[in-house]
Amino acid sequence: GAPPLLRRMYRIAKGRDPTSDNAPFRIMQWNILAQALGTHADNFVSCPPSALDWKSRRFRILEEILFYNPDIICLQEVDHFKFFERALKAQGFEGYFVPKPDSPCIYLPENNGPDGCALFYRSSRFELVELNTKILEVWKVQSNQVAIMAVLRDIISGKEFVVLTTHLKARQGALLASLRHEQGMDLLSFLEEFRQKRPSIVCGDFNAEPNEPVYEVMTNSNPKLSSAYARLNDGEELPYSTWKIRGSGEIKHNIDYIFFTEDQLTVEGGLDMPTEMEIGPERVPSAAYPSDHFSLICDFSFNVHQSFAL
Ligand code: NDP
Ligand code: CA
């Protein structure tokens, strides 16, 4: 049988009281690895094929989601939306999907259609106010990357806020970094167009390490966003959010983020990454973890004093 899923430690943010009664909500950000890409494009040379068998892998993905019990789930590389929609609906979630315009999945054998971004929210906790989707533009031309945004109303507090998720252009190099830079700026103008000063959370697979221009754009523009994991770790970003071995070599870096408007929201805590020992020499995906990206999970609460009108 398969080993238990990798489990992570929960870190309480400095100066926060985990017993306080401020009704935090939990958000999960996760590139789940498209089935078509994982089996026919990624070349994960140390991953046992059985770990990539969709018949079991889909339930490992669901197990990871449901074990941590997030209230909002932001996923990338979703090429089986109907499966997750049906499974998560039974758990009380409403979900939306936006496919990439020309997904690489559709050119691969045994594909299940295009991959894209998905956003789910717990309907007992939130009401949908508005949903928007966007094909990100690069120098005013549509790219192959998308974003999905939900304006939600928290039923407990009555407060409205925005959750946006995306998956930026992959691969290394100066040109690709400048594409991501452009996509980041378009993402922020999309956010500005609809957020109307509401508290905002922007998460995704940005395919960019913290030293890339797009990270600077996200954290130093309007609105002013902060990285949740940097906030949890004394200003330091995670050492890795993905760690895999392809035929071309080992790749270990931090490219996934949860950004938030810090003047309006507080990070109460979040899940750490598993250690190198826990991950094991084969890295991920593996029998113990179903994607090459680890999920990011944070608890947020609304700040008491904030400058937005309801
Ligand atoms: P991206 O560069 O954004 O990459 C797409 C996906 O590939 C991402 O999910 C990324 O994962 C993954 N990826 C990154 N590095 C590798 C790697 N070394 N090996 C395998 N997968 C990797 O691509 P675009 O979305 O811009 O689309 C690619 C274009 O290529 C599309 O226009 C598509 O039509 C075209 N295409 C055409 C094919 C054909 O046969 N004609 C075949 C394939 C693609 P992550 O974010 O996790 O890094
Ligand atoms: Ca991938």
Side-chain angles (χ1 to χ4, degrees), residues 86-302:
R86 206 176 308 148
L88 291 171
K89 192 163 188 97
Q91 300 291 328
F93 292 91
E94 210 56 58
Y96 298 90
F97 172 67
V98 53
K100 295 173 68 168
D102 187 19
S103 161
C105 294
I106 64 174
Y107 302 98
L108 295 169
E110 304 172 281
N111 77 77
N112 189 52
D115 76 308
C117 297
L119 191 156
F120 293 87
Y121 64 91
R122 191 189 301 284
S123 51
S124 61
R125 175 77 197 252
F126 308 110
E127 289 168 352
L128 183 69
V129 176
E130 190 179 330
L131 189 89
N132 298 294
T133 67
K134 165 107 182 143
I135 297 174
L136 296 175
E137 294 181 8
V138 172
W139 300 303
K140 310 272 180 215
V141 176
Q142 287 188 341
S143 70
N144 200 25
Q145 277 63 39
V146 296
I148 181 166
M149 171 200 294
V151 181
L152 298 174
R153 183 182 298 113
D154 175 20
I155 291 171
I156 294 179
S157 65
K159 288 182 169 134
E160 290 184 9
F161 65 107
V162 175
V163 181
L164 205 178
T165 189
T166 192
H167 183 188
L168 300 189
K169 176 73 186 164
R171 299 171 201 263
Q172 301 302 301
L175 173 64
L176 294 162
S178 66
L179 292 187
R180 285 188 283 275
H181 182 200
E182 292 289 320
Q183 290 180 333
M185 291 195 288
D186 197 37
L187 190 71
L188 287 180
S189 60
F190 179 45
L191 177 63
E192 269 306 86
E193 186 182 345
F194 294 103
R195 83 178 197 107
Q196 295 169 341
K197 305 225 169 13
R198 294 178 184 102
S200 301
I201 299 169
V202 179
C203 61
D205 171 0
F206 285 75
N207 266 309
E209 295 175 27
N211 60 8
E212 261 201 30
V214 67
Y215 182 91
E216 176 77 13
V217 160
M218 297 307 296
T219 53
N220 246 325
S221 299
N222 192 21
K224 180 87 184 69
L225 297 167
S226 304
S227 164
Y229 271 84
R231 180 57 58 246
L232 271 175
N233 295 303
D234 296 323
E236 290 291 309
E237 284 292 353
L238 291 169
Y240 47 85
S241 60
T242 175
W243 195 345
K244 57 206 151 208
I245 305 176
R246 290 200 176 106
S248 51
E250 187 157 353
I251 302 165
K252 170 196 180 189
H253 56 177
N254 181 42
I255 56 175
D256 303 276
Y257 304 95
I258 298 176
F259 298 109
F260 68 108
T261 51
E262 193 163 17
D263 57 334
Q264 298 169 310
L265 293 162
T266 295
V267 194
E268 300 284 349
L271 275 194
D272 272 341
M273 289 296 112
T275 64
E276 176 170 12
M277 274 278 267
E278 290 164 337
I279 293 169
E282 295 168 354
R283 312 317 182 194
V284 287
S286 69
Y289 202 77
S291 174
D292 57 327
H293 293 249
F294 295 106
S295 63
L296 305 185
I297 297 175
C298 286
D299 292 330
F300 285 100
S301 62
F302 294 102

Side-chain angles (χ1 to χ4, degrees), residues 13-24:
K14 283 218 177 84
R16 302 307 298 173
D17 173 4
T19 63
S20 71
D21 183 28
N22 53 7

